[in-house]
Amino acid sequence: MPIFYPDILNQRTAPRTFSYGDKDVMLYALGVGLGQDPMNETELPFVYEKGLKVIPTAATVLASGAGRAGPAPDMPPGHRQSQINFLMVVHGEQKVELHKPLPTSGTFTAEGRTIGAYDKGEGKGAVIINETVWTDEKGEKVATLTGSTFARGDGGFGGPSEGAPEPHAVPTRAPDLSVDFTTREDQALLYRLNGDRNPLHSDPDVAKRAGFPRPILHGLCTYGITCRAVLQAITDFDPDQIYSHQARFSAPVFPGDTITVDLWKDGKEISFEARVKARNATVIKNGLTVLR
C-alpha cells in the first residue's frame, strides 16, 4: 500500500501509558559505555542507585520504543491509512527535547503523530517525520522526541519535495575539543537489552546478508555516546544542564570501534560530529546540544 498524502499527516498513535525504574536507567547508561571503570566516581552515579542520574538520551529507550520513528497507525474516519515498507527504512535523524529533567523512575503517557512527509521522487525515497510527546501523571509535558526515517522504497507519492527541516550546520572552524570513546566488542549485545532486538546488531548471518562484515552498533547507541561526550566535556556530568540533543546518522559503527566526538561550544549551543578515525568515517553529522 502506498503513502497517501496529506492523509499521512493525520496518523496518530493512541495514548500509551508506560513506566520505568532505576534498573532501566542504569542499563541504558551501561549500554552507552558508562561505568566501565567502577572506580570512576564521576560516572558511577549513572550506574548506581545512590544519587542516580539519568542521561537525557535515555528517553529514546525508556518508553520501550515509544519514541522511535515509525508509523502512527490510528486515523480519523474517512482518511486513508498509509503503509511504509519497513524493510527499506533507515533511521535518519533523532532529537530529544526535555521540558524538565528526566526523573529516575515514574509513569508517563506517550502519544505520537506524523508531522511531515517529503517526497524525494520515484525511486529516490521519502522522508517521514514523527513526533512523540511524553506527559507525566499531572498531565505536564516531560519530553518531545522527534525522529525522521528515510523510506527508500516509498518515493513518488506526490507529497512536497521541499520544506523538510534543515540539518544543523556545525562550525567550519577546527573543533574546540575532541573526546575519544572505545566501544566494547559486546557493546551491541548489551545495548540491545534496552529494547531494540533487531538481529542486525547481534546475528552475524543477518549482518552479512545486509551487506556488513559483522553486526553493527545501534545508531541510537552512537547517539547516546555523543550525549555522553557532552556530559563529560561540557557539563561536568550534570544531565540537568541539557535541554535538547539532536543528530543525523551518517554511517554505521562496529562494536570495538573507537569513536571520536568533535565539539564546538558557542554559548548554550554545543555543535558536534562523531567519526571513526581508523576507517575515516563520519558516523554522526549535524549534531546540536542546547543547554538550559
Side-chain angles (χ1 to χ4, degrees):
M1 182 180 288
I3 292 175
F4 295 113
Y5 189 87
D7 302 57
I8 191 171
L9 302 181
N10 290 289
Q11 291 188 155
R12 297 177 178 272
T13 57
R16 183 169 75 83
T17 299
F18 66 94
S19 300
Y20 67 80
D22 61 358
K23 179 181 177 180
D24 306 294
V25 168
M26 291 184 281
L27 180 61
Y28 177 80
L30 290 168
V32 298
L34 285 162
Q36 290 187 40
D37 178 2
M39 296 301 290
N40 184 334
E41 295 186 9
T42 58
E43 294 187 3
L44 191 60
F46 292 92
V47 295
Y48 177 41
E49 59 271 20
K50 183 178 179 181
L52 185 61
K53 298 179 180 180
V54 187
I55 302 174
T57 49
T60 58
V61 302
L62 290 176
S64 299
R68 292 294 304 277
D74 297 338
M75 295 285 288
H79 289 264
R80 296 169 295 175
Q81 173 70 51
S82 298
Q83 183 63 52
I84 297 169
N85 179 1
F86 279 92
L87 294 176
M88 297 289 285
V89 159
V90 175
H91 196 169
E93 299 179 62
Q94 182 67 52
K95 180 178 182 179
V96 170
E97 296 174 85
L98 297 181
H99 308 290
K100 57 178 71 176
L102 287 177
T104 57
S105 62
T107 299
F108 308 89
T109 299
E111 296 184 67
R113 64 190 182 105
T114 302
I115 61 174
Y118 302 93
D119 191 351
K120 298 300 182 181
E122 186 72 34
K124 297 181 180 179
V127 176
I128 311 298
I129 302 177
N130 289 285
E131 175 188 270
T132 300
V133 176
W134 291 16
T135 52
D136 61 20
E137 292 180 295
K138 297 179 181 178
E140 296 177 351
K141 190 181 292 188
V142 176
T144 298
L145 283 69
T146 307
S148 73
T149 56
F150 179 53
R152 295 174 292 169
D154 294 290
F157 63 88
S161 60
E162 299 181 353
E166 291 292 329
H168 170 69
V170 302
T172 56
R173 68 180 188 270
D176 297 325
L177 64 162
S178 298
V179 190
D180 290 337
F181 298 99
T182 299
T183 59
R184 294 166 31 152
E185 295 286 346
D186 62 352
Q187 194 91 42
L189 295 176
L190 176 59
Y191 184 84
R192 71 192 298 267
L193 300 181
N194 287 289
D196 186 346
R197 300 291 185 95
N198 186 334
L200 178 62
H201 307 294
S202 57
D203 190 318
D205 183 58
V206 171
K208 288 176 182 177
R209 284 191 276 119
F212 298 106
R214 57 177 296 184
I216 64 174
L217 192 63
H218 303 68
L220 284 178
C221 182
T222 305
Y223 174 73
I225 289 171
T226 62
C227 188
R228 177 185 168 195
V230 174
L231 286 169
Q232 176 176 313
I234 305 294
T235 74
D236 193 26
F237 290 97
D238 179 6
D240 293 353
Q241 291 187 36
I242 295 178
Y243 167 69
S244 67
H245 190 80
Q246 67 187 69
R248 178 170 163 252
F249 305 101
S250 55
V253 170
F254 295 99
D257 280 346
T258 295
I259 300 171
T260 298
V261 183
D262 299 319
L263 302 115
W264 294 262
K265 191 174 189 304
D266 295 288
K268 290 186 177 296
E269 291 193 350
I270 313 300
S271 301
F272 63 88
E273 290 195 334
R275 53 198 168 95
V276 176
K277 290 186 284 188
R279 292 189 284 110
N280 193 30
T282 299
V283 297
I284 292 283
K285 292 184 177 180
N286 308 109
L288 174 65
T289 302
V290 177
L291 305 179
R292 297 184 188 279

